[in-house]
């Protein structure tokens, strides 16, 4: 029997509902139903169960839902020895103190990247990196790092995506990935958002597989293209040390 047939539909739908909260902190029934393509009555029944179990909380005044304490209870029991977001936090803080800018850690999930940890810069003007943010693998330093070392099928899926920005030439992009593999880090200058720049390097685990992308980002007023290049070797060194801490 195919795996799909073994999937319990109600569980699958409940998980789809919970994933909706990656796009907003408070959501109404209509928003959730529209997002996952279910009727409001079906969503209401599932939300009632999730609420009873403590996975969501309903605001009686607005009739909107937000994630409940059970989610945080589960996250508190993640294995700290295996979770890069916890394991590498002290090293990320040291890198922030050394370079003075926001340090982030990204994982690839399909054709997206997810920021799983961030250490904010102490500067008055800084990029606020939201942990848990899901971003596409089109532009940005960490995106290019994750794609540069990904399987060819992943790269092709990203290149073939209907959401690929028309302003980005695909052949030039692929050439950039080759350059990244040669020099060991990637840079971006106002690629994803105006006024922001970043530099990123891959973190390899002990088996030689890319475990995450380490990124330093900040405003272009402090991170010139020349500064990004200067930061590159520093990130490579930090990423190498972090990789030794991650099990294969």
């Amino acid at each position: 029997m195919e795996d799909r047939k073994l999937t319990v539909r109600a569980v699958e739908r409940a998980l789809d509902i919970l994933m909706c909260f990656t796009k907003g902190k408070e959501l109404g029934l209509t928003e959730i139903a529209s997002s996952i393509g279910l009727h409001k009555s079906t969503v209401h029944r599932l939300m009632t169960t999730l609420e009873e179990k403590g996975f969501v909380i309903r605001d009686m005044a607005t009739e909107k839902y937000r994630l409940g304490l059970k989610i945080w209870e589960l996250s508190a029991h993640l294995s700290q020895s295996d979770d890069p977001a916890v394991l590498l936090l002290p090293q990320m803080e040291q890198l922030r103190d050394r370079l003075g800018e926001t340090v982030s850690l990204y994982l690839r999930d399909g054709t997206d990247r997810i920021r799983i940890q961030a250490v904010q810069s102490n500067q008055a003007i800084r990029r606020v990196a939201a942990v848990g943010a899901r971003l596409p693998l089109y532009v940005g330093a960490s995106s290019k790092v994750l794609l540069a070392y990904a399987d060819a099928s992943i790269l092709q899926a990203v290149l073939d995506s209907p959401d690929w920005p028309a302003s980005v030439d695909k052949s030039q992009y692929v050439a950039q990935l080759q350059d990244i593999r040669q020099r060991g880090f990637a840079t971006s200058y106002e690629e994803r958002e105006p006024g922001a720049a970043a530099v990123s390097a891959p973190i390899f685990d002990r088996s030689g597989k890319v475990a995450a992308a380490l990124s330093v980002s900040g405003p272009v007023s402090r991170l010139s293209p020349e500064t990004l290049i200067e930061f590159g070797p520093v990130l490579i060194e930090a990423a190498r040390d972090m990789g030794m801490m991650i099990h294969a």
Side-chain angles (χ1 to χ4, degrees):
M1 184 180 294
E2 295 180 0
D3 291 345
R4 180 71 179 179
K5 294 179 180 179
L6 296 175
T7 301
V8 179
R9 181 170 295 182
V11 175
E12 187 178 45
R13 288 174 170 177
L15 293 174
D16 286 341
I17 286 174
L18 292 176
M19 289 304 296
C20 286
F21 289 92
T22 62
K23 304 173 183 177
K25 294 182 178 180
E26 291 191 348
L27 301 171
L29 282 177
T30 301
E31 294 172 276
I32 297 171
S34 175
S35 178
I36 62 177
L38 291 177
H39 195 277
K40 281 180 62 175
S41 61
T42 302
V43 174
H44 182 265
R45 289 196 299 271
L46 291 167
M47 295 300 288
T48 298
T49 301
L50 290 171
E51 184 180 8
E52 290 175 352
K53 293 295 184 179
F55 287 93
V56 297
I57 298 173
R58 180 165 57 101
D59 188 315
M60 300 298 289
T62 64
E63 291 296 319
K64 289 195 172 186
Y65 295 85
R66 64 179 185 276
L67 292 177
L69 296 179
K70 281 293 182 181
I71 296 293
W72 307 114
E73 185 178 337
L74 286 173
S75 66
H77 288 82
L78 285 171
S79 173
Q80 294 193 4
S81 62
D82 297 327
D83 183 6
V86 177
L87 186 66
L88 302 181
L89 183 58
Q91 284 68 35
M92 293 176 66
E93 292 174 337
Q94 291 176 14
L95 185 61
R96 184 270 316 274
D97 294 341
R98 179 178 179 181
L99 299 181
E101 302 293 349
T102 295
V103 178
S104 300
L105 197 65
Y106 291 91
L107 294 183
R108 183 181 63 80
D109 183 24
T111 56
D112 291 331
R113 59 181 165 120
I114 301 175
R115 183 184 288 117
I116 64 167
Q117 186 59 280
V119 179
Q120 304 293 348
S121 167
N122 292 323
Q123 306 263 15
I125 299 175
R126 59 189 178 185
R127 289 191 68 241
V128 178
V131 173
R134 179 180 288 268
L135 302 166
L137 287 179
Y138 305 136
V139 290
S142 58
S143 286
K144 289 185 286 190
V145 161
L146 293 171
L147 271 184
Y149 297 93
D151 292 339
S153 60
I154 299 297
L155 173 59
Q156 195 60 53
V158 172
L159 293 173
D160 292 341
S161 171
D163 296 323
W164 180 272
S167 60
V168 180
D169 182 87
K170 293 183 180 181
S171 60
Q172 292 181 5
Y173 188 91
V174 172
Q176 282 189 57
L177 300 185
Q178 177 64 32
D179 291 339
I180 290 166
R181 288 190 291 270
Q182 291 179 351
R183 68 180 181 178
F185 67 93
T187 63
S188 64
Y189 196 80
E190 296 189 300
E191 287 185 2
R192 192 176 67 82
E193 58 182 287
V199 55
S200 181
I203 298 176
F204 297 98
D205 63 25
R206 295 179 184 178
S207 71
K209 179 182 178 182
V210 172
L214 178 66
S215 176
V216 170
S217 59
V220 295
S221 58
R222 292 196 302 267
L223 294 182
S224 66
E226 294 75 21
T227 301
L228 296 177
I229 297 298
E230 291 174 4
F231 280 4
V234 179
L235 257 73
I236 292 175
E237 178 185 2
R240 184 182 300 118
D241 292 342
M242 292 180 186
M244 296 300 297
M245 302 173 63
I246 300 176
H247 297 290

